[in-house]
Structure formats: C-alpha cells, structure tokens
Amino acid sequence: MSSSLSLVSLTVLSYELHFLTVIGTRAILVEREREMQELTFIVCLLTVSLFISVTFTSQCSAYGLPIVRDISELPQDNFGRPGLSHITIAGSLMHGLKEVEIWLQTFAPGTRTPIHRHSCEEVFVVLKGSGTLYLAPNSHSKSPGKPQEFSIFSNSTFYIPVNDVHQLWNTNEEEDLQVLVVISRPPIKIFMYDEWLMPHTAAKLKFPYYWDEQWHQTTVKDEL
Amino acid sequence: MSSSLSLVSLTVLSYELHFLTVIGTRAILVEREREMQELTFIVCLLTVSLFISVTFTSQCSAYGLPIVRDISELPQDNFGRPGLSHITIAGSLMHGLKEVEIWLQTFAPGTRTPIHRHSCEEVFVVLKGSGTLYLAPNSHSKSPGKPQEFSIFSNSTFYIPVNDVHQLWNTNEEEDLQVLVVISRPPIKIFMYDEWLMPHTAAKLKFPYYWDEQWHQTTVKDEL
C-alpha cells in the first residue's frame, strides 16, 4: 500500500514537476519574447535616430543650420518700421558668419532708412524698383551737411564708402524698392542722425541693431 | 609855288595819316575781335570743364568710379571658360573695396566651377535656375574625399564654410544657373583640385584668379 502510495505520490510529483516545467518554460519564453520585443524596439529607435542624425548633419553646417536654405522660408520682420521687410540671408549672430553679412530688404513707397553711418563697407544691389540715395561724403565738417543725391534703379549697384553718412529712400510712389545689402565686419554698429546738420559727435550709436537684438541676447560672448 | 607845294604835301600827309589811322584802328579792332573770340572760347572751355568736373566728381567715389552703376553695362567675360558669364559687381582690385567683393555669375546648362577651396567666407544667392552644390566638409583626411550633394534652386541661399572644398554645377539641362556670390578678404586666392581624391597638398594655387588678372597687373601694390 505504501509502495502504491509512493508510486502515486511519485506520479503526482512527476506531473507536478512536468507542469511546473511547462509553466516555467512558458514563463521563460514569454520573458524572452518581451526582451526580444524590447530589443527590437531599441534597435528600431537607434536606427531611426542614426538616420535622422546622418540626414541632419549632412544637411547642416558647423553652426547647426542647413547649408542650403529657401529664402522665402527665412524669418522676415519690419522691426517696428512700417513699410520695411528685413530678412537676414546670411548673418553674423544668426548664422555664425564672421566677415560678411547679407540682408534682403524691401521698402514700401515713401519709406526710408535713418540718416546713418557705419565703419564697414556696404554694397547694395537693387533687385526691384527705384529710389534715391542721399550721400554726404566724408569731410572734415562738424556735420554731414547737404547730401548729394543719386538715382538708383532696378539692376543697379552702389556702395557706401566707409563712414560716409547716407540714407536710402524709396522715392518711387508706385513701387516697392527691393535691395540686397552686403556689409563687412558684422554685426553692424550704426550711428544715427536726426537730420543732416546734426553734428557727427551727436550721432547716436544703435548697437545691437534692431534685427540683431534678439540674436545678440542669445549669443554666447566671445571672450577673446 | 613852294607854299602851294607845301600845302599839297601837307594835304597828302594828312590823307596818309588819316589812311594810316583808319588802317591802324581796323587792325586794332580786328586784333581785339580775335582776342575776344579767343577769350570766349577759353570761357566756354572752362565752363564745360567745370561742368564735367562737377558732374563727374558728384557721381564718383574716392576711387574715381561712379557711385551708382548699371549692372547691365558692367564688363562681362567668360575668362576662357565656355558657358560662363562673370561680372564683378563690386571688386577689390577693380573698385578698391577691401573687405567684401560681389560677383554675378551665370552658368550655362552642364557647366561648373573647378573643385576648389579658399580661406575666406563665401555666400551664394541663387537668382535663377537650379543645380547641385558638391561640398566636402573640412576634415583631417589627406584629400577632400567623396563630397556631399546639395540641391540648390532659385531663391535659395547657401554658404561655404572657410576652407571647405566645393564645386558648383549647373546640373539642370534646360536652364541657366545665375548666382550672386559674396566673398570676404578679396582678392580671392583659390586652391584648385583636379579631382576629389587629390591630396590637399597637391592643390594648385591660382592667384590672381582669372577675373583679377588684368586688374592685378595695373594695381599699385600696397607696401604696408
């Protein structure tokens, strides 16, 4: 009886073991499957990250901005001057350029720049419209004095000698004046005059200039 | 008889004197008229010279060139490269600029720049057409290696990081590619590569560059 009991016990034990083994194997299998799923997910995540990273860096410069940019998608603003549209095409504070900066500016009929000067070279290319350039050549007078007037027109170019006081005015009542502006030694430091007879010493420095303000605040200063 | 002879002599003498006086006065008058004509001519000449001088200087910069210039009237050339049109809009050797230089370049379908690099900043604005920018980022390799490719298109802008080897190619078979190019530190010193696997050390310096050659010869060297 005891042997048959033992046999029964053994059989039960064997079944129990078998059952436990089956449950254990299933648990292990479920665990493995979960691990595989996790791994697959991680692999997918890494692949996508790598792809994004490669795509992004291959399109970007050292400054982290795309090499090629669509001008129509660049931010434009009037910086509080009605009738102005300013786009920094390639900038110092904005894009990390050190030696040149390029703007695309549109002046509505009747609008103008302030009377101003700056100690950098500046070249204009007129893309559309026409207007007037007022230019007071650098002299030893105390103030700029009466400026010379130059007609500017579509497909014309002109440059402002360093420190010459000048003003650009869309004197065409019908059409926008659109210019591409190139300056050296960015970011620009502008001295502004209220009128042509204002003494040079009274001209007010505006730095950072309106379109550089936002970038100037966020740029880490170069301690060198 | 002698008195009547004397009277006749006196009358003759008187007539001779009158005749001489008339002739003398006429000669003086003719002389005066000639002098007046000469003076009038000189006055006219001075007036015209003064007018030209005033007009010229008021339109001209310190470098003796007009402030405002019509781009369509500026000299253009292909400098021995079929399918290229190059115009220096504002130049170092040509116009005396020291910090920036601007070119307007048109590439016929299929044409391209050499593979090259330069240690100045360079910004492009695509005015017309489309094409491909090949750019090998600056690395520690011995040669530029396989470049990255970027599509460029009308109204796009891109810049070439200092010393990155690059090539611009009008890969559009239908249309011209027109770009406005801005560089710093003119005149440009270009290192040219025969192909992308050519070692950096084998790149050939071309200075003065093709469009600067003629001006380089005529420019007085700055001894400072």
Side-chain angles (χ1 to χ4, degrees):
Chain A
M1 187 67 188
S2 68
S3 66
S4 66
L5 244 178
S6 301
L7 192 69
V8 169
S9 302
L10 208 69
T11 313
V12 169
L13 193 67
S14 161
Y15 269 104
E16 271 174 1
L17 274 173
H18 175 72
F19 186 68
L20 283 171
T21 310
V22 168
I23 288 174
T25 312
R26 271 210 191 142
I28 290 164
L29 275 174
V30 168
E31 178 69 13
R32 284 284 176 285
E33 203 167 331
R34 205 175 55 78
E35 281 174 8
M36 279 297 287
Q37 278 174 352
E38 278 178 14
L39 269 175
T40 312
F41 178 73
I42 290 168
V43 167
C44 283
L45 208 68
L46 282 173
T47 311
V48 170
S49 305
L50 190 69
F51 177 76
I52 290 171
S53 163
V54 167
T55 311
F56 186 74
T57 51
S58 72
Q59 299 294 322
C60 291
S61 71
Y63 309 117
L65 282 161
I67 289 279
V68 181
R69 293 172 301 130
D70 187 337
I71 293 175
S72 65
E73 289 175 4
L74 299 182
Q76 65 172 304
D77 203 329
N78 70 4
F79 298 95
R81 273 160 58 179
L84 171 74
S85 156
H86 171 98
I87 294 172
T88 297
I89 287 185
S92 161
L93 300 174
M94 205 165 167
H95 308 122
L97 291 174
K98 293 185 187 302
E99 299 171 0
V100 291
E101 185 160 308
I102 303 176
W103 311 327
L104 178 64
Q105 295 188 321
T106 310
F107 297 85
T111 59
R112 56 196 170 178
T113 68
I115 301 169
H116 68 286
R117 71 176 154 90
H118 35 68
S119 59
C120 63
E121 290 184 347
E122 185 174 39
V123 183
F124 288 81
V125 175
V126 183
L127 301 178
K128 284 180 199 161
S130 61
T132 307
L133 163 68
Y134 297 89
L135 182 68
N138 212 335
S139 69
H140 297 290
S141 309
K142 283 187 180 169
S143 67
K146 189 177 173 347
Q148 293 173 358
E149 292 183 28
F150 300 92
S151 289
I152 59 171
F153 46 91
S154 181
N155 208 35
S156 71
T157 182
F158 55 96
Y159 66 102
I160 310 298
V162 170
N163 273 325
D164 276 12
V165 182
H166 59 286
Q167 179 179 44
L168 199 65
W169 198 319
N170 183 357
T171 44
N172 180 328
E173 289 172 13
E174 307 292 329
E175 210 183 341
D176 279 356
L177 169 66
Q178 191 176 51
V179 290
L180 204 88
V181 191
V182 175
I183 61 152
S184 62
R185 296 186 237 168
I188 200 156
K189 295 105 197 157
I190 286 188
F191 284 88
M192 295 199 291
Y193 297 71
D194 294 334
E195 39 106 13
W196 293 97
L197 292 175
M198 187 172 179
H200 291 301
T201 50
K204 284 171 289 234
L205 172 65
K206 173 70 188 132
F207 180 80
Y209 206 59
Y210 300 103
W211 38 84
D212 289 331
E213 274 177 348
Q214 136 185 39
W215 303 100
H216 194 256
Q217 285 156 7
T218 56
T219 305
V220 177
K221 283 190 180 67
D222 188 344
E223 296 297 331
L224 298 177
Chain B
M1 186 67 188
S2 69
S3 66
S4 67
L5 243 178
S6 301
L7 193 69
V8 169
S9 301
L10 208 69
T11 312
V12 168
L13 192 68
S14 162
Y15 269 104
E16 272 175 1
L17 275 171
H18 176 72
F19 186 67
L20 283 171
T21 308
V22 168
I23 289 174
T25 311
R26 272 207 192 147
I28 289 163
L29 277 173
V30 167
E31 179 68 14
R32 284 283 175 285
E33 203 166 330
R34 205 174 55 80
E35 280 174 8
M36 279 296 288
Q37 278 175 352
E38 277 179 13
L39 269 175
T40 311
F41 178 72
I42 289 167
V43 166
C44 284
L45 208 68
L46 282 172
T47 311
V48 170
S49 304
L50 189 69
F51 177 76
I52 290 171
S53 163
V54 167
T55 311
F56 187 73
T57 51
S58 72
Q59 299 293 321
C60 290
S61 72
Y63 308 117
L65 283 161
I67 290 279
V68 180
R69 292 172 302 128
D70 187 336
I71 293 174
S72 65
E73 290 175 3
L74 298 182
Q76 66 173 302
D77 203 329
N78 70 4
F79 300 95
R81 273 160 58 180
L84 172 73
S85 156
H86 172 97
I87 295 172
T88 297
I89 286 186
S92 161
L93 300 174
M94 207 166 165
H95 308 122
L97 291 173
K98 293 185 186 304
E99 299 171 0
V100 291
E101 185 160 306
I102 303 176
W103 311 327
L104 179 64
Q105 295 188 321
T106 311
F107 296 86
T111 60
R112 55 196 171 179
T113 68
I115 301 168
H116 68 287
R117 70 175 154 92
H118 35 68
S119 59
C120 62
E121 290 183 349
E122 185 174 38
V123 183
F124 287 81
V125 175
V126 182
L127 301 178
K128 285 180 200 161
S130 61
T132 307
L133 163 69
Y134 297 90
L135 182 69
N138 212 335
S139 69
H140 297 290
S141 309
K142 283 186 180 171
S143 65
K146 190 178 172 349
Q148 292 173 358
E149 292 182 27
F150 300 91
S151 289
I152 59 171
F153 46 91
S154 182
N155 209 36
S156 71
T157 182
F158 55 96
Y159 67 102
I160 311 297
V162 171
N163 273 326
D164 275 12
V165 182
H166 60 285
Q167 178 178 45
L168 199 65
W169 197 319
N170 183 357
T171 43
N172 180 328
E173 289 173 13
E174 307 292 329
E175 210 183 343
D176 279 356
L177 170 66
Q178 190 176 51
V179 289
L180 204 87
V181 191
V182 175
I183 61 152
S184 63
R185 295 187 237 169
I188 200 156
K189 295 104 196 157
I190 286 188
F191 285 87
M192 295 198 289
Y193 296 71
D194 294 335
E195 40 107 11
W196 293 96
L197 291 176
M198 187 172 179
H200 292 299
T201 49
K204 284 169 288 231
L205 172 65
K206 172 72 187 131
F207 181 79
Y209 206 59
Y210 299 104
W211 39 83
D212 288 332
E213 274 177 347
Q214 130 185 43
W215 304 99
H216 194 255
Q217 285 155 8
T218 56
T219 305
V220 177
K221 282 191 181 64
D222 187 345
E223 295 298 330
L224 298 175

